[in-house]
Amino acid sequence: MAANRPRVKVPKTAKKGDVFQIKTLVTHAMETGLRKGKDGNPIPRDIVNTFTCAFNGKTVFTMKLEPAISANPYIAFYQQATESGDYTFTWTDDAGDSVSKTASIQVS
Amino acid sequence: MSHQRSQTLTVNRRGLLGALGGGVLVAAGAGLAPRAAKATPEDAGKWVAELTGGKPPTDDPRVALDLPPIAENGNTVPVTVTVDSPMTDGDYVTKIHVVAEGNPNPGLCTFELTPACGKAEVSTRMRLARTQNVVAVAELSDGTVISGRKEVKVTIGGCGG
């Protein structure tokens, strides 16, 4: 199952030098590979293993996820405002499928 | 009239017995369920050593974990790791590893930070199988490796298995 419904919260405006929080959420089952299905066979692992955040094309934050991260992974982190631009968020799962979302910020 | 009342009573008693029997079966099933293999603090240490290139972390009050003291549901335990760092180009946190000492697999996640972060604070939600220590290991730009830990009591584990 590919990740879907990415949601991000980035302030629309910020003053130069401000430190602000970015919150992200994506819908994904994050199947651990430890659970057994109804037929007694293990359900294969299927997780979002990488999350990246790039600002104007430059990677500023990366997270490597393990099966111990909860379903529908929530990730929050901080950024410092330097210039106006676009944040691009990308989630990649075990099958190699990825989903992206972009958010802009106006820095004064 | 009195006959009818005794019949109602009988039905109630049957219903009660059935419910009790069902309860016993459920309890037995839970006891027989296979348990996932658990990591030990040594396994967790090995995992960290692999990631940090063999450098043993030193406990440092600069690494703080914000966790609930008691997690009622092990499936989603909120965690926030804060590292006291100026986050400038010359002195910043490069990586934060989060490790669970009692999960089937010790690794939880790794955050890779840059000076653009402005503040070394990250949050996520994790699965915990049982009551255990959660360890955060921070790698700094000058090569030092520091860590902090906190115990979480877990009421219902959340790792399947």
Side-chain angles (χ1 to χ4, degrees):
Chain A
M1 187 192 86
N4 56 43
R5 288 185 65 219
R7 283 144 281 173
V8 298
K9 208 170 180 184
V10 179
K12 285 192 174 65
T13 57
K15 283 204 180 82
K16 196 177 160 81
D18 275 0
V19 175
F20 55 89
Q21 193 181 33
I22 296 180
K23 292 177 178 177
T24 72
L25 194 66
V26 73
T27 301
H28 196 281
M30 295 292 280
E31 196 56 63
T32 60
L34 301 168
R35 292 198 313 147
K36 288 196 172 101
K38 279 184 184 144
D39 56 357
N41 294 323
I43 304 168
R45 179 185 128 149
D46 180 15
I47 64 164
V48 171
N49 56 38
T50 314
F51 165 79
T52 58
C53 167
F55 181 62
N56 288 345
K58 191 180 164 221
T59 302
V60 287
F61 179 87
T62 309
M63 180 181 176
K64 300 253 183 283
L65 294 85
E66 300 284 332
I69 298 299
S70 301
N72 307 333
Y74 160 81
I75 305 160
F77 55 98
Y78 285 82
Q79 283 291 300
Q80 190 162 27
T82 49
E83 54 178 335
S84 302
D86 296 328
Y87 283 102
T88 310
F89 305 89
T90 312
W91 293 259
T92 311
D93 70 4
D94 279 347
D97 296 333
S98 65
V99 63
S100 298
K101 177 113 181 168
T102 308
S104 320
I105 186 166
Q106 210 64 41
V107 176
S108 53
Chain B
M1 182 71 185
S2 90
H3 176 68
Q4 208 176 10
R5 201 194 299 163
S6 95
Q7 225 176 12
T8 323
L9 194 71
T10 320
V11 169
N12 277 349
R13 196 196 290 153
R14 283 282 154 259
L16 185 69
L17 282 171
L20 276 174
V24 168
L25 277 178
V26 169
L32 288 171
R35 306 210 66 157
K38 286 168 191 160
T40 59
E42 289 76 50
D43 292 337
K46 265 183 220 158
W47 198 78
V48 171
E50 241 172 68
L51 290 171
T52 59
K55 273 199 180 165
T58 46
D59 280 345
D60 197 298
R62 281 182 287 169
V63 183
L65 282 105
D66 186 12
L67 284 162
I70 297 173
E72 278 163 17
N73 181 0
N75 261 319
T76 49
V77 185
V79 55
T80 300
V81 182
T82 313
V83 184
D84 187 7
S85 161
M87 294 302 277
T88 55
D89 284 335
D91 181 8
Y92 65 100
V93 179
T94 55
K95 281 178 188 175
I96 299 174
H97 310 286
V98 189
V99 185
E101 289 185 345
N103 266 7
N105 299 311
L108 286 171
C109 58
T110 297
F111 301 95
E112 290 170 15
L113 288 77
T114 58
C117 290
K119 187 175 173 186
E121 182 176 325
V122 287
S123 310
T124 188
R125 294 181 191 138
M126 61 193 179
R127 294 177 171 130
L128 292 178
R130 58 176 175 139
T131 298
Q132 57 182 294
N133 279 326
V134 176
V135 185
V137 179
E139 289 184 50
L140 308 183
S141 55
D142 63 2
T144 45
V145 183
I146 55 177
S147 69
R149 66 186 60 230
K150 197 166 175 189
E151 193 193 28
V152 193
K153 289 192 161 46
V154 177
T155 319
I156 302 168
C159 278

